[in-house]
Structures are given as C-alpha cells and as structure tokens.
Amino acid sequence: MPFLNERILGGLWGAAVGDALGVPVEFLSREELGGNPVKDMRGFGTHNQPPGTWSDDTSLMLCTVESLLGGFDTTDLGQRFVAWQGQGHWTAQGEPFDINLATCDALLRIEAGTPPELAGGTDELSNGTGSLMRVLPIALWRAESPMEDLLDAVHRAASLTHRHPRAVMAGGYYALLLRSLHAGLPPFEAYRKAGMEFRRSYGHGQWADQLAHFHRLLTGDLPQLPEEEIRSGGHTLHTLEAGLWCLLNTRRYTECVLRAVNLGDDTDTTGAVAGGLAGVHYGLKEVPAHWREQLARQDEMAGLFARFAESLEKMP
C-alpha cells in the first residue's frame, strides 16, 4: 500500500478509534480519569453503549466521506446529516445519541428548507465542536489542492451547522494542519507551517477581529504548556488545542489518543481530533488492529474508507 494511502486510512480509522475510546467516559473529569485511566477499548459507562461504539463525531465524518465520493455538494451533505439525525443513517447502533443542540437546530432548519450553507448558527453558542469533528475527510480530499480551495470547502461544510467565524476558522486551522501532516511534515514543523498559513489566510477582512482568540495556537509555544492549562471541554478552540497538544507531546498513535481521552470532559471529540492528527502522521499501521476490529460496523467502514482512498488516487 502506498504510504499516502496509509496516511489517508490512518486518519480516518484514527479518528473513529479515538472517538470510540472516549464515548464511555465522556463528561468524566480529569481527576476521575486520573484514578482509573482509559487504557483500552471500554464499553457502557456514560452512554451505556457496547465497546467500540462511536458517537456523532464519526457518524458525521462517515456521512461526509460518503458524500465526497460523489464530489463536494453541500446539499447532498446536508441531506445525509438530516438522515443521520432522523433515520439513524451511519449510526453505530441504529440511532443517534448525544446530539449537541447547535447541530440539532441547524439540521432541523435544513429539513425545513433552509439552504444548507445558511443553516448553521452564528451566535457564541455556535462555537462547539460539531463542525470541527468532521473536517478531516475534506482536508484529505483537498490536501493537494490550492490552499484557497481547501479553506473554501471547509468553510462551506462547517456552515451547515456552525457559522460563527471562530468555529469556521478552527476548522480551517485543523485542515491546514492535516494538510501539512499529509505531506509528511513532522508534527512540530506542521504546527509551525499551519500557523503561518493561518495568519496569512485569516489576518484580514471578516476574520481579522477573531485572530486574537487563536493566540495560544499561533505563538508556537503550545507544546510547552503544562497539562493543567489545556482545556478539554466542548468549545471548538479548546478541543483543537487539546488534540494538537497531545500530538506534539507524544511519540506514538496509541500514546497520543489515550492522552487525549484521559484529559476528560469532551473525551470523544478530543479523542477523534487527536486521533485524526496522529493517524495521518503515523499511518494506518500504527492504529492498533485490535481497536479497529472492535469498532461497530467496522466491515462497512472499511469498505467506505477503501472507496474513498481509491477515489483520491484517481483525482487529477
């Protein structure tokens, strides 16, 4: 298998595994997990789901992968998201659970006829992780395109559920970071390059007044921060920082994703974001097969991921 495919498949499986590791302990505090840390795939816990169950993070990522097989079409993407919420499409166990309010409201608007790219909320409460957690397939799909095309696709896809500039920009940063890792840059170099590209892309116009919120990401000092300064709640910037901090402070996929989950609170999304980064960097072979094999619907996921990777190989 060409190593490019290793990175693509590593990112997709890596995100799904990170999500599933985090589901049983979502909302537990860092202190609680410190006494009983996640070391392997667990079941039940917070949401009373069997081991290997993934959340909305992976469901919406899978919907995005499936949609991209036919090209980038936000109307199609929105309808797949609506089918997930209303009909259980690409859910782990047949029905969605733990849907955040901003995503729920946006999908109801799409179902009622709102154009999908106008459906996401724009208020401060629309800075959750509901768009960040599904950026990875778009970043992989546009990894070798001009940066402007990559960011345009990310912005449009994010807007289906989250249109606040900060949430859109967080998705842009994550995509730039994934693009550099996909190209083979080591994590710290990818971090520095993503920061420079982010400043260049967002330091003007409608984005400029939001740039200060990304200060911790842009100083270059994020990996030196102590763990107690890393927040892991449900805010898009906290999750982005936490996932990247875990990548920069670990040396293996397993170490990265377990570090992320054991930060506590929004464990599934922090695990998914960190797992996507680490999966792209280390490749599929470093995402433990015994974890992948425990995932719900893993045979169907394997087929979908293989078709996606093949479609990217055929792109001009």
Side-chain angles (χ1 to χ4, degrees):
M1 179 190 299
F3 196 70
L4 188 59
N5 268 9
E6 274 274 323
R7 293 193 189 279
I8 292 165
L9 294 173
L12 296 168
W13 284 109
V17 164
D19 178 10
L21 286 167
V23 163
V25 295
E26 188 178 17
F27 309 131
L28 294 186
S29 70
R30 197 168 301 179
E31 292 70 29
E32 289 173 300
L33 285 168
N36 184 22
V38 175
K39 298 179 181 179
D40 206 342
M41 196 70 71
R42 295 185 184 179
F44 307 101
T46 302
H47 298 289
N48 197 33
Q49 299 290 330
T53 299
W54 25 269
S55 74
D56 56 332
D57 300 53
T58 297
S59 290
L60 294 181
M61 181 184 77
L62 294 169
C63 288
T64 303
V65 170
E66 186 178 56
S67 183
L68 286 172
L69 290 174
F72 184 71
D73 181 344
T74 54
T75 297
D76 178 80
L77 189 59
Q79 290 307 308
R80 293 181 194 276
F81 291 174
V82 167
W84 159 73
Q85 179 168 265
Q87 301 161 34
H89 182 60
W90 274 122
T91 56
Q93 307 295 341
E95 60 182 8
F97 62 92
D98 192 31
I99 304 175
N100 73 76
L101 187 60
T103 296
C104 180
D105 288 348
L107 297 185
L108 289 174
R109 286 192 284 270
I110 291 174
E111 194 170 16
T114 299
E117 292 181 35
L118 298 177
T122 59
D123 61 342
E124 282 287 333
L125 295 177
S126 295
N127 278 310
T129 57
S131 56
L132 179 68
M133 64 196 193
R134 52 185 169 80
V135 164
L136 186 141
I138 296 172
L140 297 174
W141 175 70
R142 281 294 192 199
E144 298 182 30
S145 300
M147 185 169 64
E148 295 77 11
D149 293 347
L150 166 65
L151 294 179
D152 177 67
V154 169
H155 297 169
R156 293 173 61 195
S159 295
L160 271 68
T161 57
H162 294 70
R163 285 195 299 141
H164 191 285
R166 215 171 302 148
V168 173
M169 292 167 72
Y173 185 99
Y174 190 47
L176 292 172
L177 187 60
L178 287 162
R179 171 191 175 95
S180 290
L181 293 169
H182 176 273
L185 290 184
F188 191 76
E189 290 183 32
Y191 165 53
R192 293 190 64 180
K193 184 177 182 183
M196 290 187 290
E197 291 178 334
F198 186 84
R199 285 184 185 275
R200 190 159 64 245
S201 299
Y202 295 104
H204 53 83
Q206 61 177 315
W207 314 109
D209 64 346
Q210 296 291 328
L211 207 61
H213 293 281
F214 292 82
H215 173 75
R216 296 206 329 168
L217 285 165
L218 299 176
T219 60
D221 297 330
L222 183 70
Q224 281 76 53
L225 293 178
E227 184 178 287
E228 56 266 26
E229 292 188 27
I230 300 300
R231 294 160 290 185
S232 52
H235 192 286
T236 190
L237 273 176
H238 298 172
T239 302
L240 180 58
E241 289 179 359
L244 177 53
W245 182 85
C246 290
L247 178 72
L248 294 170
N249 282 286
T250 54
R251 293 294 177 267
R252 297 181 60 197
Y253 171 84
T254 53
E255 185 185 358
C256 175
V257 77
L258 291 175
R259 187 80 177 267
V261 168
N262 286 311
L263 289 174
D265 297 320
D266 193 15
T267 51
D268 57 336
T269 309
T270 308
V273 168
L277 292 172
V280 170
H281 173 56
Y282 293 108
L284 179 64
K285 67 181 184 301
E286 294 298 324
V287 182
H290 71 281
W291 283 351
R292 287 185 270 135
E293 290 162 2
Q294 290 182 73
L295 293 181
R297 303 180 66 177
Q298 64 96 14
D299 288 341
E300 295 166 80
M301 291 169 69
L304 179 66
F305 291 166
R307 292 196 302 275
F308 183 66
E310 184 180 347
S311 75
L312 296 188
E313 281 189 339
K314 295 177 180 178
M315 288 181 67

